[in-house]
Amino acid sequence: MRWICLIFAVISFISFISDLGMAKFPVVRVIPSVGNSSPTILTLLLFLVTLSMLVRMLRMEIRREKKNRKNT
């Protein structure tokens, strides 16, 4: 879970830098032929990190339920 928080911090820093105009790669469209509806690299990174955090939380909850069933 610590790694996910660290990745969130790095992505937030990159987002801040791209908002200031210091870096252009985070706002590049992933599929340019789609037009404005195409997600940016930064959006995809945030989505993947959020999804991985939710999957990790789900796994932890499933383990906790198994452990509770085992103890009763």
Side-chain angles (χ1 to χ4, degrees), residues 4 11 17 24 28 36-37 42 46 69 72:
I4 294 173
I11 290 174
I17 288 176
K24 298 292 180 193
V28 173
N36 287 337
S37 63
L42 192 59
L46 285 171
R69 277 191 232 143
T72 57

Side-chain angles (χ1 to χ4, degrees), residues 1-23:
M1 200 65 139
R2 293 179 206 151
W3 290 106
I4 294 173
C5 294
L6 179 64
I7 292 171
F8 260 131
V10 169
I11 290 174
S12 299
F13 183 71
I14 292 172
S15 174
F16 178 69
I17 288 176
S18 70
D19 285 345
L20 293 178
M22 298 169 78

Side-chain angles (χ1 to χ4, degrees), residues 8-11 14 20 23 27 32 34-36 43 47 57 62-67 72:
F8 260 131
V10 169
I11 290 174
I14 292 172
L20 293 178
V27 292
V34 176
N36 287 337
T43 307
F47 175 73
M57 290 168 60
I62 289 171
R63 280 190 208 143
R64 191 173 299 133
E65 287 177 4
K66 283 183 181 178
K67 186 177 180 181
T72 57

Side-chain angles (χ1 to χ4, degrees), residues 6-7 13 24-25 32 35 38 45 56 58 61 69 71:
L6 179 64
I7 292 171
F13 183 71
K24 298 292 180 193
F25 74 91
S38 175
L45 286 175
R56 171 103 169 122
L58 179 64
E61 188 63 32
R69 277 191 232 143
N71 290 336

